[in-house]
Amino acid sequence: MGVPVVGVVGGGQLARMMVPAAVELGIEIRVLAEVEGSSARLAATQVGDYRDVDTVMAFAKDVDVVTFDHEHVPQNVLRAMVDAGISVQPGPDALEFAQDKLRMRERLTELGAPVPAWAAVSNAEELQRFIDEHRGVAILKTPRGGYDGRGVRVVRSGEEGADWFQDFDRLLVEELVEFRRELAQLIARRPSGEIRVWPVAETVQRGGVCHEVIAPAPGAGSGANRFAEVATGIAESIAEGLDVTGVLAVEMFETTDSRLLVNELAMRPHNSGHWTIDGSRTSQFEQHLRAVLDLPLGDPAALDAHSVMVNILGGPQEEAITDRFAVAMEHVPDAKLHTYGKSARPGRKVGHVTVTGDDLDEVMYRARTAAGFFDDPDTETDTGTDTDTDTATETSTSTNTEETR
Amino acid sequence: MGVPVVGVVGGGQLARMMVPAAVELGIEIRVLAEVEGSSARLAATQVGDYRDVDTVMAFAKDVDVVTFDHEHVPQNVLRAMVDAGISVQPGPDALEFAQDKLRMRERLTELGAPVPAWAAVSNAEELQRFIDEHRGVAILKTPRGGYDGRGVRVVRSGEEGADWFQDFDRLLVEELVEFRRELAQLIARRPSGEIRVWPVAETVQRGGVCHEVIAPAPGAGSGANRFAEVATGIAESIAEGLDVTGVLAVEMFETTDSRLLVNELAMRPHNSGHWTIDGSRTSQFEQHLRAVLDLPLGDPAALDAHSVMVNILGGPQEEAITDRFAVAMEHVPDAKLHTYGKSARPGRKVGHVTVTGDDLDEVMYRARTAAGFFDDPDTETDTGTDTDTDTATETSTSTNTEETR
């Protein structure tokens, strides 16, 4: 085989951030983007609908492997590729668990992974019974199509789910978890089985969207709250049990009674791993490319004692970007700035900043300071719905969180 | 100003390696490549002759700044851009010193920078006189057009320069320097004056081509051979004295009698700085983009105690590249592999490997091991002339070296 060719379905910032890793390694990357001018436009070789079999098959026919910027490619499209002998990583069976929250909960339970109490409910009576058994409150989720606050609601009576039962045979109901903080365990697995694990990270949500990531999660590796090994074990068993290939992010709650419970899965590079671009020997984007090509995985060790990533949400209008660059670079010369080539919109993830170093307080301060220069009062607050596919799945992590933090 | 747009003239691996930095920051990069399928093809928006004024002006007309993959753009083309109000970084006056070795030597001497003994000679008699005054041997160089062994020869009599005097009014003659090793001081300067300096590196040539770089240069920062401060001072005075913007590499000899003498200058990212991609907080490619846009410069601190970069010369035939990836990645999971999307050819720079860490011996061993997997008996030895523009200037560093090492 000559120069490896990776085809990425989806043109969001996750595909964009695979481009530097591909260029540096010397891998060819091609992107099937949803629209012209996507975040990953530099590598876009085709624009089309990822739900259309013919479109995706035409894109996939001469690449070595197909992978994804998001988990929303329909099963019939995925299976058409597999049937045609195309390497699809992760494969349809794994992605099914990322696409259907009920199937995910069922499978994790089979595997013995720790999850919140949950049930599949088919009507208001069953829902009411679950609520009654769980302190009078629960989280109701549609199995599919839920993101960014849609498809998820806090309910205190069976009646509150009535309208959704018209559209779905079964809904997922979960206990409202009381937790100290959220963790994300990032892991990579290649088809031939090798696994590599980054240090577990703490994720901090703001307004239902990932806002900050601290890696490694403070205190996770030592003392009474030694969660690092547990988190790694959970992620390994899920990656193997669900046959996930590429990067997998396992989002977890650290509960107030010191357990880890699996909240959501993302089968692709993930916001909780953006720190690895600057803070790890092997970034999640390089590792994802290596993994989906079934190449040996790189060293995921952290380069510094602490890494903090802060998202730029909303962001400045495009005409102001250079001014923001200048002021941020001037004040924090060690900040690694990343912007995604996306126009500003309230609550939209348009970039991030990472700072690494020995002193966590200092690192946190510098990362927040640098990111703060990109704040914009007009776009910072999420007043609308962002339909970015990437943001969509990522923010689903917050569905079990807002009322308890 | 909105998203900054940088236009790069030349599509070699230096332009290619600017692409990841541009994508990560969120800067738009456009490349004027010499040919289809260049190393920087992903960002190539135009293919054409960089010596043609109309071609370059068409490329330059809607970018924020023009910079370069090499120093060979003719002065009339450079000045046409400046006359049209286009920001050209580095500018024509600075590049003139990189294009004409005699002017460079004259200017460095004016600045008081330490250089080998040299003279401009117009005929065999003047050349003979210089040879007689310098132990019967000297290095003769054509002022322009010399690279990769062309335009440079070791001479022991005035007659040996006779044919070149037919083509050039004046030739540059230099003493054959006896040196312990070669150093390279990488520095970045922005138009408004800010300067940032990376740790001085040791460069090791093989067969006249840069082969390994060790950063920082062992012993340069401490003890009797404390050259780091001297090297920095020399580079700063040159960057300011020649009004260089962007990245400048100052290649120096550390002589057997413990002096530093300036050998060559490169006004662009340079092979001696490839280690900064993985070994420094701010890579030379990111810093070059920031500098030419007159944005504040990033922190050039090393991330680890030692970085070693080993070039992949010649390299495997393209059909074998994935096999080589697999074996190198398997054996050295912490090696950072870089390949340039160029076909194999004897002696050609087709990639490099960087390893960083605390123990120099271990780092060196691992970098050499990883790079070694890409060796190919058919292409390793330089049996021909590589006309890559990037290689061209870089290898001129060896012109004063081969007989003394």
Side-chain angles (χ1 to χ4, degrees):
Chain A
M1 189 163 71
V3 170
V5 182
V6 176
V8 183
V9 178
Q13 66 258 30
L14 302 179
R16 178 191 181 95
M17 287 187 268
M18 293 180 202
V19 174
V23 169
E24 293 191 340
L25 276 178
I27 286 172
E28 184 177 337
I29 185 167
R30 298 179 194 167
V31 169
L32 170 59
E34 296 82 0
V35 292
E36 299 284 350
S38 68
S39 187
R41 55 189 169 272
L42 189 65
T45 53
Q46 196 177 321
V47 170
D49 186 347
Y50 62 80
R51 296 165 300 190
D52 181 69
V53 172
D54 293 342
T55 298
V56 176
M57 289 296 287
F59 173 73
K61 72 178 188 305
D62 52 1
V63 302
D64 293 311
V65 60
V66 170
T67 190
F68 308 95
D69 174 76
H70 57 74
E71 296 106 333
H72 306 310
V73 177
Q75 285 286 324
N76 69 309
V77 176
L78 298 172
R79 293 188 191 278
M81 287 192 282
V82 171
D83 291 346
I86 295 163
S87 174
V88 176
Q89 307 295 338
D93 290 342
L95 282 169
E96 174 72 16
F97 298 113
Q99 293 174 338
D100 187 314
K101 288 185 168 63
L102 262 175
R103 292 215 52 193
M104 187 264 281
R105 280 285 176 245
E106 286 165 353
R107 183 74 182 124
L108 292 188
T109 302
E110 282 172 18
L111 289 172
V115 296
W118 67 277
V121 290
S122 298
N123 53 53
E125 293 68 39
E126 291 177 12
L127 176 57
Q128 184 64 54
R129 202 171 311 138
F130 186 92
I131 292 169
D132 292 342
E133 291 164 0
H134 292 88
R135 297 174 292 116
V137 62
I139 305 290
L140 190 64
K141 299 180 178 182
T142 60
R144 292 171 176 271
Y147 53 83
D148 208 44
R150 290 192 292 187
V152 177
R153 59 177 68 152
V154 178
V155 289
R156 291 187 166 76
S157 79
E159 282 310 304
E160 292 185 59
D163 54 333
W164 281 354
F165 286 116
Q166 296 171 10
D167 295 327
F168 293 90
D169 286 342
R170 302 194 309 164
L171 296 173
L172 171 63
V173 60
E174 298 178 352
E175 66 172 319
L176 184 68
V177 174
E178 297 190 16
F179 61 88
R180 280 192 205 111
R181 58 176 179 174
E182 291 181 85
L183 302 175
Q185 177 63 65
L186 201 69
I187 187 170
R189 180 171 175 270
R190 54 188 285 216
S192 53
E194 186 190 10
I195 281 180
R196 291 275 190 163
V197 182
W198 287 271
V200 66
E202 178 177 346
T203 63
V204 180
Q205 320 290 320
R206 191 168 71 176
V209 176
C210 177
H211 177 55
E212 288 182 357
V213 174
I214 306 161
S222 59
N225 289 342
R226 191 148 51 90
F227 289 119
E229 285 174 32
V230 179
T232 298
I234 292 170
E236 286 176 346
S237 68
I238 293 173
E240 289 172 350
L242 275 55
D243 195 20
V244 181
T245 51
V247 167
L248 166 71
V250 180
E251 299 182 89
M252 288 176 262
F253 300 118
E254 181 185 317
T255 66
T256 51
D257 58 348
S258 296
R259 293 173 299 144
L260 293 186
L261 299 179
V262 176
N263 182 17
E264 299 280 351
L265 307 180
M267 296 184 189
R268 50 171 170 74
H270 186 253
N271 201 161
S272 65
H274 290 355
W275 69 274
T276 61
I277 300 173
D278 305 301
S280 169
R281 184 80 59 195
T282 306
S283 80
Q284 65 170 343
F285 298 100
E286 176 179 341
Q287 199 77 300
H288 188 75
L289 294 174
R290 291 164 76 140
V292 299
L293 285 164
D294 204 16
L295 287 168
L297 302 181
D299 177 6
L303 295 172
D304 257 322
H306 303 286
S307 296
V308 172
M309 187 236 51
V310 180
N311 274 344
I312 301 170
L313 297 175
Q317 299 302 315
E318 197 168 29
E319 54 270 26
I321 196 83
T322 307
D323 300 340
R324 307 300 180 94
F325 271 146
V327 69
M329 289 173 176
E330 170 119 22
H331 285 83
V332 194
D334 59 327
K336 304 308 296 181
L337 304 179
H338 300 258
T339 65
Y340 304 155
K342 295 162 72 173
S343 54
R345 194 193 299 167
R348 192 182 211 196
K349 293 175 183 174
V350 298
H352 73 267
V353 173
T354 300
V355 174
T356 74
D358 290 335
D359 180 329
L360 179 55
D361 287 343
E362 173 73 13
V363 166
M364 179 93 73
Y365 170 77
R366 296 177 73 75
R368 288 177 175 171
T369 300
F373 288 116
F374 291 88
D375 282 348
D376 193 314
D378 292 337
T379 63
E380 195 178 356
T381 312
D382 188 356
T383 58
T385 300
D386 189 335
T387 54
D388 287 2
T389 51
D390 46 86
T391 311
T393 328
E394 286 164 8
T395 55
S396 60
T397 186
S398 65
T399 54
N400 217 329
T401 77
E402 289 181 65
E403 301 225 337
T404 49
R405 286 188 71 81
Chain B
M1 187 164 73
V3 171
V5 183
V6 175
V8 183
V9 178
Q13 67 259 30
L14 302 179
R16 178 189 181 97
M17 287 186 269
M18 293 180 201
V19 173
V23 170
E24 293 189 341
L25 277 176
I27 287 171
E28 184 177 337
I29 185 167
R30 299 179 192 167
V31 169
L32 171 58
E34 296 82 359
V35 292
E36 299 286 350
S38 68
S39 187
R41 54 189 169 271
L42 189 65
T45 53
Q46 196 177 321
V47 171
D49 186 347
Y50 61 80
R51 296 164 300 188
D52 180 69
V53 172
D54 292 341
T55 298
V56 177
M57 289 296 287
F59 173 73
K61 71 178 190 306
D62 52 1
V63 302
D64 292 312
V65 60
V66 171
T67 190
F68 308 96
D69 174 75
H70 57 73
E71 296 106 333
H72 306 311
V73 177
Q75 285 287 322
N76 67 308
V77 175
L78 298 171
R79 292 187 192 280
M81 288 192 281
V82 172
D83 291 347
I86 296 163
S87 174
V88 177
Q89 307 295 341
D93 291 342
L95 282 169
E96 173 73 17
F97 298 114
Q99 293 174 338
D100 186 314
K101 290 185 167 66
L102 262 175
R103 293 214 53 194
M104 186 264 279
R105 281 285 177 249
E106 287 165 353
R107 183 73 182 127
L108 292 187
T109 303
E110 283 171 20
L111 289 171
V115 295
W118 67 277
V121 290
S122 300
N123 53 53
E125 293 70 40
E126 290 178 12
L127 175 58
Q128 184 65 54
R129 200 173 311 136
F130 186 92
I131 292 169
D132 292 342
E133 291 165 358
H134 292 89
R135 298 172 291 115
V137 61
I139 306 289
L140 191 63
K141 299 180 178 181
T142 59
R144 290 169 176 273
Y147 54 83
D148 208 45
R150 290 191 292 187
V152 178
R153 58 175 72 151
V154 178
V155 289
R156 291 187 164 78
S157 79
E159 281 311 303
E160 292 184 61
D163 54 332
W164 281 354
F165 287 117
Q166 295 170 9
D167 295 326
F168 292 89
D169 288 342
R170 301 195 309 165
L171 296 173
L172 170 63
V173 60
E174 298 178 354
E175 66 173 317
L176 184 69
V177 174
E178 295 190 17
F179 61 87
R180 279 191 207 114
R181 61 176 178 172
E182 292 181 84
L183 303 175
Q185 178 63 65
L186 202 69
I187 187 170
R189 181 171 174 270
R190 55 188 284 216
S192 53
E194 186 189 9
I195 280 179
R196 290 275 189 162
V197 181
W198 286 272
V200 67
E202 178 177 346
T203 64
V204 180
Q205 321 290 321
R206 189 167 72 176
V209 177
C210 178
H211 176 55
E212 288 182 359
V213 174
I214 307 161
S222 61
N225 289 342
R226 190 147 53 89
F227 290 118
E229 286 174 31
V230 179
T232 298
I234 291 170
E236 286 176 345
S237 67
I238 293 173
E240 289 173 348
L242 274 56
D243 194 21
V244 181
T245 51
V247 167
L248 165 71
V250 180
E251 298 181 272
M252 288 177 263
F253 300 119
E254 180 184 316
T255 67
T256 51
D257 58 346
S258 295
R259 294 173 299 145
L260 292 185
L261 298 179
V262 176
N263 182 17
E264 299 280 352
L265 306 180
M267 295 183 189
R268 49 172 171 74
H270 186 253
N271 200 163
S272 65
H274 290 355
W275 69 272
T276 61
I277 299 172
D278 305 300
S280 169
R281 185 79 58 192
T282 307
S283 80
Q284 64 170 345
F285 299 100
E286 176 179 342
Q287 199 76 300
H288 188 74
L289 294 173
R290 291 164 77 140
V292 300
L293 284 164
D294 205 16
L295 286 167
L297 301 181
D299 178 5
L303 295 172
D304 256 323
H306 304 286
S307 296
V308 172
M309 184 232 59
V310 180
N311 275 342
I312 301 170
L313 298 174
Q317 299 302 314
E318 197 167 31
E319 52 269 27
I321 196 83
T322 306
D323 300 338
R324 307 301 180 95
F325 272 145
V327 69
M329 289 172 174
E330 170 120 21
H331 284 83
V332 194
D334 59 327
K336 303 309 294 180
L337 304 179
H338 301 257
T339 66
Y340 305 154
K342 296 162 71 172
S343 55
R345 194 191 297 167
R348 194 182 210 197
K349 293 176 182 173
V350 297
H352 74 266
V353 174
T354 299
V355 174
T356 74
D358 289 335
D359 179 329
L360 179 55
D361 287 342
E362 174 73 12
V363 166
M364 178 92 73
Y365 170 76
R366 296 177 73 76
R368 287 177 177 171
T369 300
F373 288 115
F374 292 88
D375 282 348
D376 194 313
D378 293 336
T379 63
E380 196 178 356
T381 313
D382 187 355
T383 58
T385 301
D386 189 336
T387 55
D388 287 359
T389 50
D390 46 84
T391 314
T393 329
E394 287 165 9
T395 56
S396 61
T397 186
S398 65
T399 54
N400 217 328
T401 77
E402 290 182 60
E403 302 224 338
T404 49
R405 286 191 70 82

